[in-house]
Amino acid sequence: MPEAPQMVFLKEQTEQFVGQLVLQAEGSVKVLPFDRLFNQELESIKTFGKELFFCFPDFAIRIHLMFFGKYAINGTVNRELQLRLTFEEGEINFYASDIKFIQEPLDSLYDWSTDVMHASFDIDAAIEKLYRKPQRLICDALLDQTILAGVGNGIKNDALFRRRIHPESLVGEIPVLESKQLISVCVQLSYEYLEWIREDTVLQNWQAYRKKICPRDHTPFLKGNIGKPARSCYYCEKCQRLYLPEV
Ligand SMILES: [Zn+2]
């Protein structure tokens, strides 16, 4: 599933259409009033976590790529077309995505300060929300989009590895200062990840996610589906500390 950096990258790729009129809108997605899109000017593009918004004067189209979503700019993919927006110069096509039509102001629906890649990201608010559920596994908490919008499985695994925290640690047993550093690493990794996408070097840059050997100890990573819902974790039992209550 795409994480925040992939959506910021998609925003960068589609910014060429800002200021242009929609000449045609079509596709199989039923929730969009295609006729209302005609001749509307794309005012801006925003992202929130794993979501992207095409903002028009009176409404927005929200795109979430989910697990298997694809898009093509000035090209097509051999799948059922969900949405094609044809602008004055070029087009964008979406497939297998979750698409919504939003008429309410985005500011009333989204708390931008929870987005790890938003300028207003509020780490203290994230910490406060994190410790509201002290019994939760840290690997689950990092994926909670109401705490850290935009963090997905890749950032989760590598952030825990960088901070040497075992994914099955209980949130309430991790010192606050350590959690704060962990969240800072999630933010930092998001921007590094964006850089890797731009350079097309994502796979070689992960240290733990989808890797076999711990680069610190040269011992095999353990891989397991952990959490609710279970998501893949890659971790080293030697160098990642498990925070549990003392017995
Ligand atoms: Zn290790």
Side-chain angles (χ1 to χ4, degrees), residues 29-137:
V29 65
K30 297 196 167 58
V31 293
L32 294 186
F34 288 116
D35 49 328
R36 275 186 68 182
L37 275 156
F38 178 68
N39 248 348
Q40 292 287 312
E41 181 185 337
L42 180 62
E43 281 192 333
S44 63
I45 300 167
K46 294 181 175 150
T47 65
F48 174 80
K50 301 172 179 176
E51 301 169 57
L52 179 120
F53 309 92
F54 289 117
C55 303
F56 295 92
D58 302 316
F59 55 83
I61 297 174
R62 171 266 200 197
I63 314 265
H64 190 308
L65 295 174
M66 306 304 285
F67 279 100
F68 305 109
K70 293 239 179 298
Y71 64 88
I73 297 165
N74 298 328
T76 56
V77 170
N78 189 19
R79 291 198 183 183
E80 188 198 9
L81 176 73
Q82 270 190 306
L83 173 63
R84 172 179 294 140
L85 293 175
T86 305
F87 293 94
E88 292 160 88
E89 292 175 30
E91 64 176 38
I92 181 156
N93 299 295
F94 288 97
Y95 311 85
S97 306
D98 184 46
I99 299 173
K100 289 196 171 97
F101 183 69
I102 298 180
Q103 299 194 78
E104 299 94 324
L106 294 181
D107 287 347
S108 70
L109 299 175
Y110 292 90
D111 176 2
W112 306 100
S113 73
T114 61
D115 178 348
V116 289
M117 296 192 78
H118 198 273
S120 69
F121 176 68
D122 185 343
I123 190 165
D124 293 322
I127 286 285
E128 198 266 311
K129 278 184 265 180
L130 182 72
Y131 283 97
R132 279 185 207 167
K133 291 182 182 171
Q135 294 300 320
R136 205 149 55 149
L137 302 184

Side-chain angles (χ1 to χ4, degrees), residues 24 53 99 136 188 197 246:
Q24 198 180 4
F53 309 92
I99 299 173
R136 205 149 55 149
Q188 189 190 325
I197 297 168
E246 284 179 30

Side-chain angles (χ1 to χ4, degrees), residues 214 217 236 239:
C214 171
D217 307 297
C236 173
C239 65

Side-chain angles (χ1 to χ4, degrees), residues 83-213:
L83 173 63
R84 172 179 294 140
L85 293 175
T86 305
F87 293 94
E88 292 160 88
E89 292 175 30
E91 64 176 38
I92 181 156
N93 299 295
F94 288 97
Y95 311 85
S97 306
D98 184 46
I99 299 173
K100 289 196 171 97
F101 183 69
I102 298 180
Q103 299 194 78
E104 299 94 324
L106 294 181
D107 287 347
S108 70
L109 299 175
Y110 292 90
D111 176 2
W112 306 100
S113 73
T114 61
D115 178 348
V116 289
M117 296 192 78
H118 198 273
S120 69
F121 176 68
D122 185 343
I123 190 165
D124 293 322
I127 286 285
E128 198 266 311
K129 278 184 265 180
L130 182 72
Y131 283 97
R132 279 185 207 167
K133 291 182 182 171
Q135 294 300 320
R136 205 149 55 149
L137 302 184
I138 188 64
C139 61
D140 279 339
L142 290 186
L143 294 179
D144 185 336
Q145 299 300 295
T146 66
I147 301 177
L148 298 170
V151 170
N153 221 25
I155 295 171
K156 174 198 84 178
N157 275 290
D158 263 48
L160 288 169
F161 178 72
R162 279 197 193 183
R163 292 307 310 163
R164 300 175 186 243
I165 299 173
H166 193 292
E168 290 179 294
S169 298
L170 289 184
V171 166
E173 298 299 321
I174 303 172
V176 174
L177 204 62
E178 185 51 63
S179 296
K180 211 163 181 175
Q181 284 176 317
L182 176 63
I183 292 176
S184 294
V185 165
C186 289
V187 174
Q188 189 190 325
L189 253 170
S190 299
Y191 288 99
E192 288 179 32
Y193 189 176
L194 175 59
E195 212 42 55
W196 306 338
I197 297 168
R198 288 177 183 144
E199 297 167 350
D200 198 15
T201 60
V202 174
L203 291 180
Q204 59 260 49
N205 272 301
W206 292 122
Q207 285 190 291
Y209 183 52
R210 292 182 172 163
K211 298 290 175 178
K212 290 191 163 62
I213 307 283

